[in-house]
């Protein structure tokens, strides 16, 4: 199969005008100028996308597919209030509801050109939906628990669950990873022991880290809304939590959580220079979620300070519960613009952000040898972005067009391992009508659920 278009972005090399990609089975066979490729492989079927860009599928470094029905339910709240409301409203969902919600997320991912996800899930619903949708990625088994007496029980349950999840993803493009949720929801010994255990199992690790000021205050000063209202809500009010006197990053380092590397930290907004040195020293990768960070009032991550140290950084959309859409174009665009706004410089280019959303993200989860760029021998994870609309023409520079003009609706093809998952508004493995229909009543139930904790605005 040969796909041709006005532009082809291999990412690992310069853009190719009038480019083509040759796909054989699950892999990329060749990449080059369309005319040459068609002559070289005369027996291959050719699909021409015209005014469009062919590029590697997006690597979304932070998702929670199962939270998709919470879109627009907890808007306009600061992080701690948002977390409290989300926790309360989550309680009305049944096991089936979580699965339907995750299908809604998988549907959006596929339609948005996301081919690889790094998804944290508590219910396991994301695994079911991502597998059925045909997505690639890491499904991180989420653990939380502050009650020290519960630790042996939690450790034994995760051992059993991870074995069963690993079995479920055997014939798919998914891997199982491990996610201690965050410093304010995981007891220090659980953080230490569980990450040690995960490394022994060869599991990649992911955690939310240094996101909100509320988390920072919780860790350093032992105070704030998370230490009080949130802990009351989840029944940990009888547990003693002492201020640590250090930042969230330093705190995890002191507990040995970074020892052995292989860890992806999500957010990393509340970090100073010494925290960034710690992240670099331990080879921690970062999932940068600029829209979520801004929407929940968490702040703006010091992106250039990460990149100057050559820390692996990719882009994460987070869940529609916080960010409302899984639109990587929006994430790149807003991510770039807020950096320019805060640094008063144009150090970052559109190309930098497309790199982070593809090969940079792949590198952050150790998949750079398989995906993230269009090169012979790599997996055929390919997307095509239509550039024929009035808001995109004229298009002289494909990087500029992708970041400054395109949206998720402009995706016309999503392919994982040579299989078409989405083309021209139809889905190979998902029933769009059914998924949308089932999402509405769940969302209504969530929206109408009562909350007994006042929200400060
Ligand atoms: Zn998250």
């Amino acid at each position: 199969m040969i796909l041709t278009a006005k532009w082809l972005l291999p990412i690992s090399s310069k853009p190719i005008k009038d480019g083509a990609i040759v796909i054989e089975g699950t892999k990329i066979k060749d990449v080059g100028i369309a005319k040459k490729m068609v002559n070289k492989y005369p027996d291959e079927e050719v699909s021409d996308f015209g005014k469009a860009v062919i590029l590697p599928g997006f690597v979304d470094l932070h998702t929670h597919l199962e939270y998709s029905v919470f879109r627009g339910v907890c808007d306009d709240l600061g992080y701690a209030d948002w977390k409290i409301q989300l926790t309360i409203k989550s309680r009305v969902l049944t096991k089936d509801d979580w699965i339907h919600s995750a299908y809604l997320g998988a549907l959006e991912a596929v339609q948005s050109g996301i081919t690889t996800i790094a998804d944290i899930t508590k219910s396991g619903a994301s695994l079911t939906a991502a597998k059925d949708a045909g997505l690639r990625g890491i499904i991180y088994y989420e653990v939380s628990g502050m009650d020290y007496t519960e630790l042996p029980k939690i450790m034994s349950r995760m051992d059993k669950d991870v074995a069963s999840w690993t079995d479920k993803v055997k014939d798919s493009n998914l891997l199982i990873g491990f996610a201690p949720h965050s410093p304010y929801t995981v007891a220090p010994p659980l953080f230490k022991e569980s990450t040690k255990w995960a490394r022994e199992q060869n599991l990649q690790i992911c955690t939310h880290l240094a996101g909100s000021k509320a988390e920072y205050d919780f860790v350093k000063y032992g105070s704030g809304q998370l230490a009080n209202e949130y802990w009351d809500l989840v029944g940990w009010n009888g547990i003693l939590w002492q201020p640590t006197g250090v930042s969230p990053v330093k705190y995890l380092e002191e507990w040995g959580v970074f020892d052995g590397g292989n860890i992806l930290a999500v957010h990393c907004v509340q970090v100073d220079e010494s925290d960034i040195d710690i992240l670099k020293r331990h080879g921690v990768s970062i999932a940068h979620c600029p829209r979520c960070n801004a929407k929940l009032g968490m702040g703006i991550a010091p992106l250039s300070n990460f990149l100057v140290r050559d820390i692996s950084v990719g882009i994460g959309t987070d869940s529609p519960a916080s960010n409302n859409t899984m639109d990587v174009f929006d994430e790149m665009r807003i991510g770039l613009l807020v950096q320019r706004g805060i640094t008063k410089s144009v150090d970052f280019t559109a190309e930098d952000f497309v790199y982070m959303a593809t090969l940079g993200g792949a590198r952050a989860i150790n998949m750079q040898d398989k995906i993230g760029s269009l090169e012979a021998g790599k997996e055929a994870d390919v997307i095509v972005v239509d550039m024929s609309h009035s808001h995109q023409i004229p298009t002289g520079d494909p990087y500029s067009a992708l970041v400054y003009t395109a949206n998720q609706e402009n995706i016309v093809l999503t392919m994982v391992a040579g299989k078409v998952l989405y083309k021209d508004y139809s889905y190979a493995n998902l029933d769009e009508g059914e998924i949308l229909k089932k999402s509405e009543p769940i969302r209504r139930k969530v929206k109408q659920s009562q909350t007994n904790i006042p929200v400060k605005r």
Side-chain angles (χ1 to χ4, degrees):
M1 181 195 329
I2 299 180
L3 311 180
T4 63
K6 182 173 177 186
W7 292 102
L8 184 134
L9 298 189
I11 306 296
S12 50
S13 55
K14 283 202 167 77
I16 302 170
K17 200 171 177 190
D18 297 318
I21 180 166
V22 187
I23 296 155
E24 192 175 68
T26 61
K27 302 255 165 95
I28 298 169
K29 190 175 182 185
D30 213 341
V31 171
I33 293 168
K35 259 189 190 164
K36 275 192 189 164
M37 292 296 110
V38 172
N39 286 339
K40 194 168 164 187
Y41 305 98
D43 298 333
E44 292 288 343
E45 188 191 328
V46 180
S47 290
D48 179 34
F49 288 88
K51 280 198 183 84
V53 182
I54 300 173
L55 74 157
F58 292 128
V59 178
D60 192 339
L61 271 198
H62 189 50
T63 64
H64 299 272
L65 296 185
E66 66 195 16
Y67 276 97
S68 296
V69 293
F70 288 85
R71 192 190 318 272
V73 170
C74 304
D75 279 344
D76 303 322
L77 299 172
Y79 180 80
D81 283 322
W82 170 84
K83 182 69 187 173
I84 289 164
Q85 293 295 326
L86 190 67
T87 304
I88 296 168
K89 287 178 178 295
S90 295
R91 290 174 176 166
V92 301
L93 261 66
T94 64
K95 198 173 167 224
D96 274 356
D97 292 340
W98 285 112
I99 290 177
H100 293 313
S101 181
Y103 275 117
L104 180 64
L107 188 81
E108 186 182 357
V110 167
Q111 186 261 305
S112 305
I114 295 163
T115 51
T116 295
I117 55 169
D119 192 283
I120 296 183
T121 171
K122 194 162 195 162
S123 70
S126 298
L127 188 164
T128 308
K131 186 181 170 187
D132 285 351
L135 288 163
R136 186 186 301 282
I138 304 177
I139 304 293
Y140 300 97
Y141 176 91
E142 184 187 293
V143 152
S144 57
M146 276 289 179
D147 183 349
Y148 285 48
T149 63
E150 298 267 299
L151 300 191
K153 209 167 86 189
I154 294 173
M155 293 285 291
S156 109
R157 191 171 55 219
M158 91 200 177
D159 195 50
K160 229 170 68 204
D161 287 349
V162 166
S164 126
W165 286 24
T166 305
D167 204 43
K168 282 184 193 157
V169 298
K170 244 190 232 154
D171 302 315
S172 73
N173 294 312
L174 299 170
L175 294 172
I176 299 303
F178 177 72
H181 175 265
S182 74
Y184 68 90
T185 52
V186 178
L190 179 58
F191 237 126
K192 186 185 163 91
E193 290 308 315
S194 66
T195 46
K196 189 169 158 245
W197 167 86
R199 288 191 180 96
E200 285 162 7
Q201 311 288 313
N202 266 326
L203 301 175
Q204 296 204 50
I205 300 162
C206 181
T207 189
H208 298 92
L209 179 62
S212 62
K213 180 68 170 48
E215 178 197 329
Y216 186 92
D217 289 346
F218 173 89
V219 172
K220 189 163 184 178
Y221 308 115
S223 62
Q225 262 183 293
L226 293 174
N228 301 309
E229 289 167 59
Y230 180 73
W231 267 41
D232 279 354
L233 178 69
V234 292
W236 292 334
N237 42 2
I239 298 164
L240 181 68
W241 175 253
Q242 302 269 32
T244 66
V246 294
S247 69
V249 171
K250 181 77 185 151
Y251 158 68
L252 288 196
E253 188 196 33
E254 286 178 352
W255 275 92
V257 172
F258 302 137
D259 295 350
N262 208 15
I263 188 160
L264 173 68
V266 181
H267 299 305
C268 295
V269 177
Q270 309 295 326
V271 289
D272 62 16
E273 287 297 311
S274 63
D275 292 325
I276 303 172
D277 284 339
I278 292 171
L279 297 172
K280 171 65 185 170
R281 199 160 56 240
H282 295 281
V284 176
S285 303
I286 295 173
H288 179 49
C289 308
R291 279 196 303 162
C292 168
N293 295 344
K295 184 160 180 269
L296 298 180
M298 293 196 270
I300 297 170
L303 187 59
S304 48
N305 303 31
F306 301 153
L307 297 181
V308 93
R309 288 170 174 82
D310 196 29
I311 291 175
S312 286
V313 182
I315 303 282
T317 58
D318 213 326
S319 76
S322 64
N323 195 18
N324 303 46
T325 64
M326 293 171 70
D327 187 336
V328 179
F329 299 100
D330 240 2
E331 208 68 50
M332 294 192 290
R333 183 157 50 244
I334 292 174
L336 174 54
L337 298 182
V338 297
Q339 288 298 325
R340 291 223 178 129
I342 195 161
T343 61
K344 299 188 185 73
S345 77
V346 286
D347 289 349
F348 290 109
T349 61
E351 186 175 345
D352 293 333
F353 272 77
V354 176
Y355 174 82
M356 279 188 274
T358 53
L359 193 51
R363 186 178 158 222
I365 48 172
N366 306 310
M367 288 194 186
Q368 69 274 24
D369 295 336
K370 262 182 128 172
I371 57 163
S373 60
L374 303 183
E375 294 175 71
K378 277 198 170 182
E379 295 286 308
D381 289 10
V382 183
I383 59 172
V384 180
V385 187
D386 184 18
M387 290 289 169
S388 65
H389 301 277
S390 59
H391 63 278
Q392 296 162 320
I393 285 177
T395 300
D397 174 349
Y399 282 115
S400 156
L402 286 174
V403 173
Y404 299 121
T405 72
N407 291 301
Q408 62 192 155
E409 300 81 26
N410 300 132
I411 295 289
V412 288
L413 177 94
T414 304
M415 175 189 281
V416 172
K419 287 205 178 80
V420 173
L421 305 187
Y422 173 80
K423 192 178 180 203
D424 300 331
Y425 310 106
S426 59
Y427 299 82
N429 306 325
L430 299 171
D431 184 338
E432 184 188 20
E434 187 70 7
I435 292 170
L436 296 181
K437 199 172 95 191
K438 282 187 172 159
S439 300
E440 278 304 326
I442 304 170
R443 191 180 176 283
R444 255 198 313 277
K445 184 164 73 169
V446 167
K447 188 110 180 150
Q448 286 162 1
S449 63
Q450 292 300 310
T451 54
N452 53 9
I453 293 196
V455 174
K456 292 180 203 117
R457 282 184 184 267

